[in-house]
Amino acid sequence: MSSVYESLVEIVGGEHVSTQAEELYIYSFDLGTTEPHRPDYAVAPRTTEEIQAIVRLANREKVPVAPLGGGLSLAGLALPLKGGISLDLKRMDTILEVNEKSRYTVVECGVSQGQLTSYLERHHPTLMHSEPGAPPMATIAGNMAIHGQGDLAHPYGFNSDMVNGMEVVLPTGEICRFGSCSVSTQWYTNHPLPDVGLFLGWAGTTGIITKVSLKLFPNKSIVGSGQFVVEDENLIPEIIHKITHTEMVHDLVAYSQAIPPFSSGLHHLTINLSADSEKELAFKMELIFDDTLGPYIRSGDGGYLGFNRGSQRPQVSKTSDWRKGGGFEYVGSIMPVETYPDCYRRGREISEKHGIPYTVLGRVIGMSHAMMFSWTYAFNRADPETMDQAREALHETDDLVLELDGTIWKPGTYGQKLVMERIDPNTLNLMKKVKQLLDPNGIMNPGNWEVS
Ligand SMILES: Cc1cc2nc3c(=O)[nH]c(=O)nc-3n(C[C@H](O)[C@H](O)[C@H](O)COP(=O)(O)OP(=O)(O)OC[C@H]3O[C@@H](n4cnc5c(N)ncnc54)[C@H](O)[C@@H]3O)c2cc1C
C-alpha cells in the first residue's frame, strides 16, 4: 500500500491524495441508503494525463478505481464498493469553450451543473443547458455516465442525447476522443463516424470521461411556471399528450405527494414556459391554459392554480424533511407516459405499506416519447429501522418497474442484478465482451454492472 500511496503522491502531489481515516470517512457514503464503503485512497487529479497515470498504476497494482463527480446519484454508484481509489474529479473544473453560433460548450469532467448555469447566465445569457433538478454541485460528466435528464428533457430528450463528443481515459490508460473532435479541432457533433462510444450509462465501469461537449439551447429572457391540478390520475397521459402537441413548453412534470395533506391524491402538472416578449408569453399561455387545458377546467376535471414568473420545479429533496434526520432515496425509471396511473397507484401502495409519505413524479422526456418516473422514500439517517424500511420499499419498487415493463434508471446493485437477470442473453454477452475488452483487469468501479 505504501508504494501505491507514494506513486499517487508523485502523480498528483501530496495535497491531493489522502489515506487519513477522517477524510476517507467522507468518501465512504452517499446520501442514500447504501451501506458505507471506505476507499483505501482518496485522490483528486487535475489533468487528463494525471488520470491516465493513475489508471495505469491501478492496472499494475490491481487497485479498483471509483470515479466520483458530485456523488449525488444516490444509489451507491460512485461509492468504492470494493475499496481502492475514490477518484474525486471536482478539480477538473474548467469550462474550455462556448460556441455561441453552433450552440455547444466543452467542459472538463468536474464542471458542475450550477457552475455552467451561472457561467452561461453571466457570459452567454441567450444560451442554456438542460440542468437536472439535482443539487447544483452534480457534475455534467457524472450525469452523462448515468443517462440523466434535465429541465429541457421535454422537448430535447436525455442529457446523454445532447453529447457532441467526449474525451475518455480508457481503463487501460489510452486517451481517446469521440465525435468530430476525433478528426478536427471542433467539438460540434457526435456523428457521423462509426459509433464506438461505450461510456454513457455505464456508470464509470468502462472508462473515465475527462471532457464533454454538450449541446446548448436558446435561453429566453422571460421564464415562468404554470400549475394545473387534476384529481383523476387517468387523465394525466392524455393531458401530457395534448400539451406536448403544442410544442410550446420547455419542461413538463406531473407529480403527486402525501404532504401537505390537503393535496394528497391530487396530481399537479408543472408547466414551464419561456418567451422573449410579453406578446410571445401571452400567446403561449393562451394556447396552453385556455385552448388546451380550458376544456378540463370547464368540465370540472381540472383546475388552474396560476402562473409564477421565475422557473419553478417540484423539489424532490424537500421530502428529506418528512422524517426527522433528513434522508431520502428514490427509484428512477424510464417508462411509457401512459403508465403514469399505474406507477402512481402501485407506488403509493408501496409507500403506505412501509409507513412512508408517498412522493411520485413523472418528467416528460422528448415529445412524450417516455417519462422519467420516480418514487421517493424518506428516512431518518439516525434510525436504522427507517433506513431498512426505505431500502425494502426501494427494492420492491425496482421489482415493480420491471413488472410494469419499464426500465430502471441508474439502478443500484439490487436493480442492476434484476436487469442483468432479465436482459436479452445475447445483449448481456455483448456487454461482457465489451467490459472484458475495455477493462481486462476489472479495475473500473467494480461492484457496479458486474456483467462477467
Ligand atoms: C435532490 C436530487 C434531485 C435529482 N434530480 C435529478 C434530475 O432531475 N435529473 C437527473 O438526471 N438526475 C437527478 N438526480 C440524480 C443525480 O444527482 C444527477 O443525475 C447527477 O447529475 C449525477 O451527477 P454526479 O456528479 O453527482 O454523479 P456521481 O454520483 O458522482 O456519479 C454518477 C456515476 O457516474 C460515475 N462517474 C462520475 N463521473 C464520471 C466520469 N467523469 N467518467 C465516468 N464515470 C463517472 C460514477 O462512478 C457513478 O457511477 C437528483 C439527485 C438528487 C439528490
Side-chain angles (χ1 to χ4, degrees), residues 67 69-73 77 132-134 139 143 146 148-149 203-204 209 330 363 445:
L72 290 161
S73 49
L77 294 174
T139 62
N143 191 250
I146 58 170
Q149 333 79 36
I209 302 163
Y330 64 89
R363 165 179 261 157
N445 212 2

Side-chain angles (χ1 to χ4, degrees), residues 33-199:
T33 57
T34 308
E35 300 289 347
H37 292 268
R38 225 173 74 135
D40 300 303
Y41 315 90
V43 185
R46 177 62 200 96
T47 64
T48 299
E49 289 68 28
E50 287 178 5
I51 292 178
Q52 179 180 45
I54 293 166
V55 163
R56 288 192 166 146
L57 169 71
N59 265 292
R60 271 198 312 275
E61 303 289 340
K62 311 282 182 294
V63 178
V65 178
L68 172 70
L72 290 161
S73 49
L74 289 182
L77 294 174
L79 289 180
L81 298 181
K82 304 227 164 146
I85 296 170
S86 183
L87 192 71
D88 187 338
L89 298 163
K90 287 191 252 329
R91 289 180 67 226
M92 307 260 305
D93 64 352
T94 307
I95 296 171
L96 298 164
E97 182 188 351
V98 172
N99 184 321
E100 287 218 353
K101 292 288 178 298
S102 291
R103 290 201 178 102
Y104 70 85
T105 181
V106 184
V107 299
E108 286 186 325
C109 57
V111 168
S112 72
Q113 303 286 346
Q115 183 187 348
L116 182 59
T117 298
S118 67
Y119 183 86
L120 292 175
E121 272 170 15
R122 248 178 293 136
H123 302 289
H124 305 278
T126 60
L127 295 173
M128 68 186 289
H129 75 294
S130 184
E131 187 175 346
M137 67 180 281
T139 62
I140 307 283
N143 191 250
M144 295 303 150
I146 58 170
H147 285 308
Q149 333 79 36
D151 53 7
L152 294 176
H154 166 59
Y156 301 119
F158 287 89
N159 284 350
S160 45
D161 295 331
M162 299 169 189
V163 169
N164 270 341
M166 283 189 304
E167 178 189 85
V168 175
V169 175
L170 301 185
T172 39
E174 299 90 335
I175 300 170
C176 284
R177 287 188 171 186
F178 305 98
S180 59
C181 65
S182 65
V183 287
S184 86
T185 55
Q186 304 281 318
W187 291 66
Y188 63 97
T189 178
N190 211 17
H191 305 311
L193 302 175
D195 181 13
V196 279
L198 296 164
F199 309 95

Side-chain angles (χ1 to χ4, degrees), residues 301-316:
D301 286 327
Y304 174 55
L305 300 184
F307 186 82
N308 290 315
R309 300 281 178 126
S311 194
Q312 281 197 342
R313 303 189 190 115
Q315 290 290 324
V316 172

Side-chain angles (χ1 to χ4, degrees), residues 16 29 56 84 94 120 159 182 211 245 276 296 376 441 449:
H16 305 299
F29 56 90
R56 288 192 166 146
T94 307
L120 292 175
N159 284 350
S182 65
K211 294 189 182 80
H245 185 83
D276 275 326
Y296 297 96
T376 301
N441 292 316
W449 290 113

